[in-house]
């Protein structure tokens, strides 16, 4: 009779590709946090509590830019707001679990382990909420340790911050490109860039980024809401220019 592997090992094998991918980017994030003035213990605490590569890179870059604390917090709020949508799509799979479990699940979820768990939930009937939580904790462990080691290394080696600025800009451009699945996203991204430039010049501080984020987000929301409501109307020319593909497909099915 074949000996079955313990469940924790099976889940580790599922999450290992994700965990290994965190090492390089986690080290880079830790080094940048060190250059922003974070001590190793503080960098570890940020990793455990925030657990978001985009957010932690944003924290480091805005600290280096001497942004005020309230500006950083507002930017983080809008950047991380997407987790409300991601969490809601997984809520059906953890229904009936205790509040303590849901709390632990929520604070250790990020984009990558969400993708792993969502795929497993819809393809593997044996995948349980406990398995999903283990994936989150494995990825959190690898990420936090990589951040800690990176922060320690950052105190030993010298890094040109000009290169760091380039890397940060590249990362956020990548994040935008990965979300460009519709013409609406492209239009709002361009609009956001213009508003950010105007607001930064007008306010002469990074608070302009917050203003641009709020204006662009609300504009995108109202346009998309308008498109959804007017999507059934024949001859509505705007929907063929900037409406999301998914909306067009739904309209086509309904017609």
């Amino acid at each position: 009779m074949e000996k079955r592997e313990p469940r924790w090992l099976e889940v580790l094998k599922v999450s290992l590709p994700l965990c290994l991918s965190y090492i390089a980017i986690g080290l880079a994030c830790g080094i940048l946090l060190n250059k922003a003035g974070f001590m190793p213990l503080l960098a570890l605490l940020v990793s455990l509590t925030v657990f978001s590569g985009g957010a932690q890179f944003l924290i480091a870059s805005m600290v280096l830019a001497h942004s005020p604390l309230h500006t950083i917090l507002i930017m983080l709020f809008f950047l991380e707001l997407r987790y409300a949508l991601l969490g809601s799509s997984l809520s059906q799979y953890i229904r009936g679990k205790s509040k303590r479990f849901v709390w632990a699940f929520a604070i250790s979820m990020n984009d990558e382990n969400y993708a792993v768990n969502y795929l497993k939930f819809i393809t593997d009937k044996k995948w349980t909420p406990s398995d999903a939580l283990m994936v989150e904790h494995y990825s959190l462990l690898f990420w936090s340790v990589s951040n800690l080691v990176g922060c320690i290394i950052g105190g030993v080696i010298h890094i040109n911050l000009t290169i760091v600025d380039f890397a940060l800009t590249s990362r956020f451009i990548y994040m935008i490109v990965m979300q460009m699945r519709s013409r609406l996203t492209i239009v709002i991204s361009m609009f956001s860039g213009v508003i950010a430039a105007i607001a930064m010049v007008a306010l002469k501080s990074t608070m302009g980024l917050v203003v641009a984020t709020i204006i662009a987000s609300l504009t995108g929301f109202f346009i998309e809401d308008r498109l959804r409501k007017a999507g059934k109307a024949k001859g509505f020319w705007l929907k063929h220019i900037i409406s999301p593909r998914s909306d067009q497909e739904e309209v086509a099915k309904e017609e």
Side-chain angles (χ1 to χ4, degrees):
M1 185 176 179
E2 185 179 352
K3 186 177 181 180
R4 187 174 182 181
E5 293 180 335
R7 189 58 177 172
W8 66 267
L9 185 56
E10 293 180 15
V11 176
L12 177 60
K13 288 182 177 180
V14 170
S15 58
L16 196 56
L18 167 62
C19 294
L20 293 177
S21 71
Y22 275 165
I23 296 177
I25 192 68
L27 290 173
C29 185
I31 292 172
L32 183 59
L33 287 171
N34 175 269
K35 297 306 176 184
F38 286 74
M39 299 298 291
L41 205 55
L42 184 58
L44 177 62
L45 181 62
V46 171
S47 303
L48 292 171
T49 54
V50 177
F51 191 27
S52 170
Q56 289 176 230
F57 275 107
L58 178 67
I59 291 172
S61 61
M62 294 191 75
V63 169
L64 286 170
H66 305 290
S67 302
L69 179 60
H70 67 274
T71 301
I72 297 176
L73 292 176
I74 294 174
M75 289 295 293
L76 287 177
F77 172 77
F78 283 101
L79 180 63
E80 303 299 275
L81 198 57
R82 68 188 184 280
Y83 288 124
L85 296 175
L86 296 182
S88 65
S89 67
L90 289 181
S91 61
Q92 58 181 315
Y93 300 109
I94 60 173
R95 189 177 291 118
K97 304 299 290 186
S98 66
K99 291 183 178 180
R100 180 178 297 180
F101 181 93
V102 173
W103 179 82
F105 190 87
I107 64 172
S108 53
M109 182 183 72
N110 71 356
D111 300 87
E112 292 80 17
N113 60 41
Y114 160 81
V116 172
N117 282 326
Y118 185 77
L119 181 62
K120 291 297 291 183
F121 274 127
I122 63 177
T123 59
D124 187 353
K125 293 182 179 180
K126 297 181 179 180
W127 196 253
T128 67
S130 297
D131 296 334
L133 186 61
M134 272 195 282
V135 170
E136 293 186 351
H137 287 172
Y138 285 140
S139 58
L140 177 59
L141 174 64
F142 274 74
W143 174 258
S144 300
V145 172
S146 297
N147 274 208
L148 176 62
V149 174
C151 192
I152 294 173
I153 294 174
V156 178
I157 62 176
H158 173 73
I159 295 180
N160 191 333
L161 292 182
T162 303
I163 299 176
V164 173
D165 291 337
F166 175 79
L168 286 172
T169 303
S170 301
R171 175 179 173 82
F172 284 106
I173 290 176
Y174 168 78
M175 292 173 67
I176 293 174
V177 171
M178 288 299 292
Q179 298 181 58
M180 286 188 176
R181 299 176 181 176
S182 68
R183 296 185 181 94
L184 176 60
T185 307
I186 299 174
V187 172
I188 294 301
S189 297
M190 296 173 62
F191 174 71
S192 177
V194 173
I195 294 298
I198 295 174
M200 288 284 286
V201 172
L203 299 178
K204 297 179 180 179
S205 73
T206 51
M207 192 64 189
L209 295 176
V210 176
V211 174
T213 301
I214 295 174
I215 293 176
S217 298
L218 291 176
T219 301
F221 170 77
F222 285 122
I223 291 177
E224 187 172 12
D225 183 63
R226 171 61 180 164
L227 289 172
R228 289 181 183 277
K229 292 179 180 179
K232 296 180 182 180
K234 294 182 179 180
F236 185 62
W237 63 273
L238 194 59
K239 73 176 182 178
H240 300 295
I241 298 178
I242 60 175
S243 65
R245 296 174 187 173
S246 59
D247 289 346
Q248 291 181 6
E249 291 173 357
E250 290 176 5
V251 171
K253 290 178 181 179
E254 293 176 357
E255 291 177 348

